[in-house]
Amino acid sequence: MAGPRIAHATLKGPSVVKEIVIGIALGLAAGSIWKMHHWNEQKRVRSFYDLLNKGEITLVPTEEQIF
């Protein structure tokens, strides 16, 4: 007596090409975020030294800042 056939999902192994593509995409995303962070830090440091060279800011504390 043959029962009704049920279609079961067959489990496949990992797709190497798919994993490589996902890895590349994640690597590019993380790298671009890191690069943008690095550029923002460079901009902050550059503006600090520009203000320091212009004399608009100083690293020497005044009497008001000490007390």
Side-chain angles (χ1 to χ4, degrees):
M1 192 164 160
R5 294 193 173 226
I6 300 172
H8 292 284
T10 58
L11 297 177
K12 297 180 188 177
S15 172
V16 176
V17 175
K18 184 178 176 183
E19 287 192 18
I20 290 172
V21 169
I22 290 172
I24 290 173
L26 289 175
L28 287 173
S32 62
I33 289 172
W34 175 256
K35 195 65 176 174
M36 285 189 294
H37 168 73
H38 182 69
W39 286 336
N40 287 336
E41 287 296 316
Q42 277 185 330
K43 192 181 344 176
R44 287 181 57 217
V45 169
R46 193 175 302 123
S47 67
F48 171 77
Y49 281 109
D50 286 343
L51 290 174
L52 191 63
N53 288 337
K54 289 178 188 175
E56 295 180 16
I57 60 173
T58 181
L59 298 178
V60 179
T62 61
E63 288 292 323
E64 301 163 353
Q65 293 173 338
I66 294 175
F67 298 108

